[in-house]
Amino acid sequence: MRDALRLAPAAPVTLSSYAADATPVGPREKAAGVAATTAIGPRLADLQERLYAASTAGDTRRVLLVLQGMDTSGKGGTVKHVIGHFNPSGCRIRAFKAPTEEERSHSFLWRITKALPEAGEIGIFDRSHYEDVLIGRVRSLAPPEEIERRYDQINNFERTLTESGVTIVKVFLHVSHEQQKRRLLERLDNPEKYWKFNPGDIEERALWPAYQEAYELALQRCSTPAAPWYLVPADRKWYRNWAISNLLREHLEALDPQYPKADFDIEECRRRLLEAP
Amino acid sequence: MRDALRLAPAAPVTLSSYAADATPVGPREKAAGVAATTAIGPRLADLQERLYAASTAGDTRRVLLVLQGMDTSGKGGTVKHVIGHFNPSGCRIRAFKAPTEEERSHSFLWRITKALPEAGEIGIFDRSHYEDVLIGRVRSLAPPEEIERRYDQINNFERTLTESGVTIVKVFLHVSHEQQKRRLLERLDNPEKYWKFNPGDIEERALWPAYQEAYELALQRCSTPAAPWYLVPADRKWYRNWAISNLLREHLEALDPQYPKADFDIEECRRRLLEAP
């Protein structure tokens, strides 16, 4: 199914042409979608264990899921509901906030590099280096020529990663302007969700067209054969969960990680265990 | 139930007096234990979300689960089955292996300090600073007087942590010598478990009495009012999962974390959201 959600390398992107409540591939209604996602869980856990096991015998491959999307698009919900299928000990999760003073004193890729998954792990980025061509562009946090350079820097960085055994799965969670309003209002209606709300979210929302344009550029410039972007309609949470679970499953299945063979004498070890007191 | 599993401060410990297949408190058979553990899951997730939410409003409290036990005692299984109940984004998990050269050049508490949970997080240590008075003692990796000093250093370190808002839950997974043999043999019988086996495990097993003695000393010297040890019988995996889930639940309930109040004008934010295009 990943072909149906993958953006073509370097092709222009018009976000308004994608319905955020669409179900372009897979289940079309909630009950079937939830059931299908639940059914994938054990398979994801199995694939992850194989990936981790392979790393103990020298396999350096790893997976990096990059989650990007507007406020309320469901980055945190994806971590909770999709990554929750995995054994937490094999996951390396990092949520990127506004950079610290130390982080700003380095290249924008410095803090990213430090958060990468190790061999056998599944890394998850809630926001990422793409913020530096998104809010960076919209809020003019760097000169235009610097923003321009960053697309190539990102592509080079990601190609180096893929060449060193990192499978990068970049997901843009496509939420609609209307759905964002509903989700922000929900946070104001529920005292248990106040903590997720920030009045600054309203100012960011006012910049919606500029953000959509920045996303369109980033998706076009940084959809590469080595590390394509996937556009996941995110107005329906059950569809988002199904789609990302399946993207991870397909990428892990393509890696086809194998439990390593024993590098010791099984019979001798069994004998020693049975003979000792 | 935590009182039933807690070791008294500074009291001598004789591990052979504890049956590793006991069910000293709670369910006595597997079906009921598994059902009870499953039922706790949503409550753990709820408490964790409250703890994290509170941290966004300045609450600096956090929880640190320390898992210690012999090979096969179920440290990894606990992370998978108990920590799996939580939202992975709020967990900070660290498995400590033999220290690296850089780590050895510092105090044994250096690498521990770097891995501590941040405010609102649940930290999980699979092995910990206790290795430095366990394998450190059994394998004479440091002079006896240095090992001796470490008990006090650990107690001071842990008291400082608790005084800064860390709730430390130290769990010793008590597995029997016989059960360890069965679990090691299982790993040799199943090609999907070979990667978990290391012939070095047999040499460590031969030092069983010395390790039990080292554990008895560590449990006695480092059971303090601020950070007691809990002894969890671990021959039955379902009981281990039930007991640790409940220990976490009780400690989180004692913290009683609260969703923060809104620090913004709810009505004004709602109006601004509804009025904007």
Side-chain angles (χ1 to χ4, degrees), chain B residues 7-8 11-18 215-217 219-220 223 231:
Chain B
L7 297 176
V13 177
T14 306
L15 286 178
S16 60
S17 70
Y18 293 91
Y215 266 110
E216 287 175 345
L217 270 171
L219 295 173
Q220 174 180 355
S223 279
L231 188 153

Side-chain angles (χ1 to χ4, degrees), chain A residues 232-246:
Chain A
V232 170
D235 272 12
R236 301 175 197 268
K237 294 176 183 175
W238 65 263
Y239 189 76
R240 171 202 78 202
N241 292 340
W242 176 84
I244 300 175
S245 297
N246 267 285

Side-chain angles (χ1 to χ4, degrees), chain B:
Chain B
M1 54 77 84
R2 57 179 159 165
D3 297 349
L5 301 176
R6 186 170 45 219
L7 297 176
V13 177
T14 306
L15 286 178
S16 60
S17 70
Y18 293 91
D21 62 354
T23 57
V25 59
R28 301 234 168 136
E29 51 92 26
K30 185 172 176 179
V34 169
T37 304
T38 302
I40 295 169
R43 177 69 177 142
L44 286 178
D46 174 63
L47 286 160
Q48 179 204 19
E49 183 171 282
R50 289 169 183 270
L51 185 71
Y52 186 82
S55 78
T56 66
D59 189 336
T60 61
R61 294 179 301 170
R62 60 205 78 183
V63 172
L64 174 61
L65 174 68
V66 174
L67 297 171
Q68 284 286 164
M70 299 294 289
D71 281 336
T72 77
S73 61
K75 301 180 291 293
T78 299
V79 174
K80 184 171 173 178
H81 296 287
V82 178
I83 304 308
H85 289 306
F86 293 116
N87 182 335
S89 69
C91 298
R92 189 172 293 253
I93 303 169
R94 175 72 193 272
F96 291 99
K97 315 277 182 190
T100 64
E101 194 173 339
E102 185 187 23
E103 287 169 349
R104 274 185 284 113
S105 76
H106 292 276
S107 148
F108 73 105
L109 295 170
W110 181 74
R111 64 177 185 161
I112 304 299
T113 303
K114 296 208 308 171
L116 289 170
E118 299 188 359
E121 291 184 337
I122 297 180
I124 300 97
F125 286 174
D126 175 346
R127 303 187 187 271
S128 68
H129 43 300
Y130 282 93
E131 291 298 318
D132 295 278
V133 293
L134 294 167
I135 191 172
R137 183 174 195 275
V138 172
R139 295 275 188 187
S140 301
L141 302 180
E145 60 274 19
E146 165 67 14
I147 302 284
E148 187 57 33
R149 276 195 297 271
R150 287 180 183 168
Y151 299 113
D152 288 335
Q153 291 170 346
I154 287 174
N155 289 342
N156 288 332
F157 173 70
E158 292 182 354
R159 192 169 55 241
T160 301
L161 289 183
T162 59
E163 287 168 357
S164 70
V166 183
T167 295
I168 309 177
V169 185
K170 300 188 293 192
V171 173
F172 170 62
L173 297 169
H174 182 43
V175 71
S176 67
H177 194 233
E178 191 54 30
Q179 183 69 2
Q180 186 189 60
K181 182 194 277 189
R182 275 193 293 272
R183 290 183 181 170
L184 287 174
L185 287 169
E186 273 170 26
R187 293 179 180 178
L188 293 177
D189 289 339
N190 183 347
E192 298 196 347
K193 291 190 174 178
Y194 290 164
W195 65 280
K196 295 185 176 184
F197 189 89
N198 187 321
D201 298 345
I202 304 177
E203 275 97 67
E204 287 293 287
R205 177 171 164 77
L207 297 169
W208 185 274
Y211 271 107
Q212 296 299 103
E213 191 181 303
Y215 266 110
E216 287 175 345
L217 270 171
L219 295 173
Q220 174 180 355
R221 297 289 299 274
C222 300
S223 279
T224 61
W229 271 101
Y230 295 91
L231 188 153
V232 170
D235 272 12
R236 301 175 197 267
K237 294 177 183 176
W238 67 263
Y239 189 77
R240 171 202 78 200
N241 291 340
W242 176 84
I244 300 176
S245 297
N246 267 286
L247 280 172
L248 289 170
R249 181 181 59 76
E250 290 192 5
H251 282 88
L252 283 163
E253 286 178 347
L255 291 178
D256 193 24
Q258 298 295 321
Y259 286 108
K261 296 194 197 315
D263 60 354
F264 49 84
D265 185 329
I266 297 167
E267 275 316 310
E268 191 214 344
C269 286
R270 187 179 283 123
R271 187 181 49 71
R272 287 172 64 198
L273 274 169
L274 288 168
E275 282 176 4

